[in-house]
Amino acid sequence: MNISDNKVVQMHYELKNDQGQVLDSSTGKDPLAYIHGMGNIIPGLEKELLNKTKGDKINAVVGPAEGYGVKDDQKVFKVAKKQFQGDGDLQVGMQIQAENQGNMEVGTVEKIEGDEITLNFNHPLAGETLHFDVEVVEVRDATEEELSHGHVHGVGGHDHGAEEDAK
Ligand code: ZN
């Protein structure tokens, strides 16, 4: 069975940045599962997996535009440190919730300078070129239920009880 829209794909993967540093991997875990064509994974990788089948190994290089987006300087800004008093010691790399244009979003502390901190609300992988090593371990049809939920159930997918499924 080849990968096409509405197929459930299970894959093992390793993600590296341009420097060859491993950012994420499914090694030692369940494979990652997604429904093809539903935007569950980044567009650049989804495109590379089209028509592949169980056992196929691919190597995909995905630029920011088809990955986690280009880094947007508008999403990086300075705020007064005192706004975050009570959050304990702020450290570079720490993720904190803050209001960004009226929405609560998670930002990363990028810099701390005196009374000012620089927050970055871009996705941590924005601007990165992503290098994926992927092995397709299973391809099957998605069930009606999975299609209506928009995500995979079972191995590598959502493990939510019957209660939540009934909603
Ligand atoms: Zn579900």
Side-chain angles (χ1 to χ4, degrees):
M1 185 180 281
N2 288 352
I3 297 174
S4 61
D5 283 355
N6 299 338
K7 300 287 186 240
V8 168
V9 180
Q10 288 177 18
M11 60 183 180
H12 275 297
Y13 69 96
E14 188 173 72
L15 168 60
K16 290 184 192 146
N17 63 12
D18 261 340
Q19 288 75 44
Q21 215 186 338
V22 178
L23 302 173
D24 195 11
S25 133
S26 63
T27 307
K29 299 187 231 170
D30 278 343
L32 176 78
Y34 78 97
I35 304 176
H36 197 86
M38 287 215 165
N40 291 168
I41 61 170
I42 55 167
L45 183 57
E46 194 164 52
K47 211 157 75 181
E48 296 283 338
L49 284 160
L50 181 67
N51 291 324
K52 297 294 183 291
T53 190
K54 184 176 173 171
D56 281 352
K57 289 182 182 178
I58 64 159
N59 214 284
V61 180
V62 178
E66 287 193 305
Y68 291 99
V70 179
K71 195 169 171 186
D72 179 358
D73 288 337
Q74 307 268 348
K75 292 185 175 177
V76 180
F77 46 80
K78 290 181 174 164
V79 294
K81 202 173 172 182
K82 63 173 189 291
Q83 281 187 254
F84 295 96
Q85 263 166 11
D87 286 347
D89 276 342
L90 287 173
Q91 277 166 9
V92 171
M94 199 180 239
Q95 298 209 313
I96 55 177
Q97 272 216 334
E99 198 176 302
N100 181 24
Q101 289 157 359
N103 301 313
M104 286 305 279
E105 286 183 25
V106 176
T108 306
V109 177
E110 202 163 72
K111 224 190 272 174
I112 304 177
E113 287 168 314
D115 296 335
E116 259 182 357
I117 62 175
T118 303
L119 289 179
N120 181 356
F121 286 94
N122 285 286
H123 186 282
L125 295 178
E128 295 271 5
T129 296
L130 308 167
H131 300 255
F132 287 96
D133 274 315
V134 174
E135 182 182 357
V136 179
V137 293
E138 189 62 85
V139 182
R140 64 168 168 86
D141 288 315
T143 64
E144 287 297 323
E145 192 185 51
E146 286 172 325
L147 291 175
S148 76
H149 285 202
H151 56 232
V152 177
H153 293 161
V155 177
H158 270 240
D159 181 21
H160 52 93
E163 211 177 296
E164 195 179 330
D165 274 340
K167 278 179 196 163

